[in-house]
Amino acid sequence: MDIVVKGRKTEVPERFRKHVAEKLKLDKIQKLDGKVISLDVEVSKEHNPRQADRSDRVEITLLSRGPVIRAEAAAGDPYAALDLATAKLEARLRKQHDKRHTRRGNGRLSAAEVADVVPGVAQLNGSGEPVSSESPEPIPTTRMGSLEVQGEGPLVVREKNHVAAPMTLDQALYEMELVGHDFYLFVDSETKEPSVVYRRHAYDYGVIHLRTDPLAGSESSGAGGALGG
């Protein structure tokens, strides 16, 4: 199993690379998931002085022959952020390991079971809206003419491409929880079309199916509505 450490808009010292290899105990990870192929560790830095206590972010992505598992955390220095991200990763690995043994190899998970066996389910505030377990620091907003830019700007676009095998709705729900996101893009195994499953209120989930209409014109409203509907 390989560990790949890379920096996004920042340099990664050799000392930190060695610390990553010591912190991510491969033998322990392989006991929890014997199908691990590699671990990607990405380090990024926020240069905004107002976010000094969360200036360093570490994202760990575990690639295996099973579902992708991701954990990320931010702190005042990369070593502390790595500690937090590693703890999250191990907790999710342990949950997956326990589920695999208790369900006797049945990899399918119904929507009703997600809240019981998967970490990171939505919590509610006083208004009944889902809230994150971590309270992010407010991001400063700068007005540039008629445009409001958050952070240091001007604009940052991040694009990712993923190869996706068709899967059921239950499997998409399960994998969404493993990566710790509020939505998950997948290819529906029944319709063979792109779909998005997302977290709504409490333990409710929604799904959007995108179907191509060659006759639809440029005046079509598209699929850009809010996920919370």
Side-chain angles (χ1 to χ4, degrees), residues 99-142:
K99 185 191 80 68
R100 207 163 42 230
H101 282 268
T102 55
R103 294 174 64 86
R104 297 296 181 183
N106 184 358
R108 299 189 62 187
L109 184 68
S110 69
E113 296 173 298
V114 170
D116 296 327
V117 300
V118 179
V121 294
Q123 303 293 323
L124 298 182
N125 59 21
S127 304
E129 296 293 331
V131 296
S132 172
S133 59
E134 297 181 357
S135 300
E137 293 291 330
I139 301 176
T141 301
T142 305

Side-chain angles (χ1 to χ4, degrees), residues 10-24:
T10 187
E11 293 292 331
V12 181
E14 186 62 28
R15 177 188 173 192
F16 183 77
R17 294 178 185 273
K18 293 180 179 179
H19 182 72
V20 169
E22 296 171 355
K23 184 68 179 179
L24 295 175

